[in-house]
Amino acid sequence: SYTLALSESATMTTTGSTYGEHHPDENGNSVPVHEFSPNGPFWTNVTLDKPQDGKYVLTKTHCGGRCLHCGPKNYITTPHDFLKD
């Protein structure tokens, strides 16, 4: 995306995306930002530097709100249902 490319160019650091299949590494794999979260978000460019530890990772998503004034129990969904939406 233009926004992620611009951010990466300006900062010389990679960004994240919840759409790992759009940003595979040289082996065709999506590389998670966090080892404890293999389902994403994923690095968009594994050849650039990563943000410093403890810093935020700009992450692209197209998710909309399902329930803006309720707790997570009301909007957590399965990966299968998420992809259907």
Side-chain angles (χ1 to χ4, degrees):
S1 84
Y2 175 78
T3 306
L4 293 181
L6 183 63
S7 177
E8 288 179 346
S9 177
T11 64
M12 295 308 295
T13 57
T14 188
T15 57
S17 174
T18 54
Y19 305 96
E21 69 274 10
H22 296 173
H23 305 282
D25 66 6
E26 62 277 357
N27 298 316
N29 300 312
S30 301
V31 181
V33 169
H34 305 287
E35 289 182 17
F36 62 82
S37 184
N39 295 320
F42 303 95
W43 293 118
T44 57
N45 188 332
V46 295
T47 62
L48 287 176
D49 290 337
K50 294 178 175 58
Q52 296 176 355
D53 286 341
K55 299 293 182 183
Y56 292 102
V57 176
L58 178 64
T59 303
K60 182 176 183 171
T61 182
H62 293 287
C63 297
R66 296 180 190 271
C67 182
L68 299 178
H69 302 290
C70 59
K73 280 182 157 179
N74 295 324
Y75 62 83
I76 290 177
T77 185
T78 66
H80 179 268
D81 287 342
F82 174 80
L83 292 173
K84 284 191 333 187
D85 285 348

